[in-house]
Amino acid sequence: MRIALHSEIRDGAIDDYRTHHARIPDALAATFARVGIHDWTIWRSGQRLFHLVECDDWDAAVAALDEDPANAEWQKDIGRFVELFRGPDGAEGFAPIEEVWDLRAQVG
């Protein structure tokens, strides 16, 4: 499955956020593989970050990440730079945002 997330970076934190994402910790990458996250890409527009995640099952992956020490360490570190996540209606939350259209689905 493919899901998208929307987060916002704290003022003045984009350079540190980029530096920390130049290479995530190997333990976190291994955790992602173990919980079925195959790819995670992040784009930026101003203070807004858009994440595209390819995974087996998002809800199961998030539940497994909640219990993982490598993820806990990463969240403690990277959380300094992230203001918040927004859900599909724009309110604060960590739910995938709504997919409106998919070319592959239309032509495939």
Side-chain angles (χ1 to χ4, degrees):
M1 76 186 307
R2 180 176 62 173
I3 65 101
L5 301 168
H6 172 206
S7 62
E8 295 179 15
I9 200 83
R10 294 185 193 279
D11 286 338
I14 191 60
D15 290 336
D16 288 328
Y17 186 84
R18 275 194 202 107
T19 299
H20 279 73
H21 277 87
R23 181 175 173 88
I24 66 168
D26 291 338
L28 183 61
T31 293
F32 284 171
R34 181 179 53 77
V35 302
I37 295 175
H38 307 292
D39 196 18
W40 192 316
T41 308
I42 304 170
W43 290 271
R44 180 179 74 92
S45 177
Q47 298 300 104
R48 297 175 180 192
L49 301 172
F50 298 93
H51 310 244
L52 181 62
V53 183
E54 304 243 358
C55 59
D56 295 332
D57 179 325
W58 175 249
D59 292 332
V62 169
L65 288 172
D66 283 345
E67 304 296 323
D68 186 82
N71 183 61
E73 187 65 29
W74 174 252
Q75 294 306 322
K76 187 171 80 173
D77 185 35
I78 204 67
R80 299 177 289 153
F81 312 119
V82 178
E83 183 70 31
L84 56 84
F85 274 81
R86 295 195 180 274
D89 295 323
E92 188 171 348
F94 192 66
I97 58 177
E98 177 185 3
E99 181 179 303
V100 176
W101 178 72
D102 181 347
L103 176 62
R104 286 188 285 182
Q106 179 176 323
V107 299

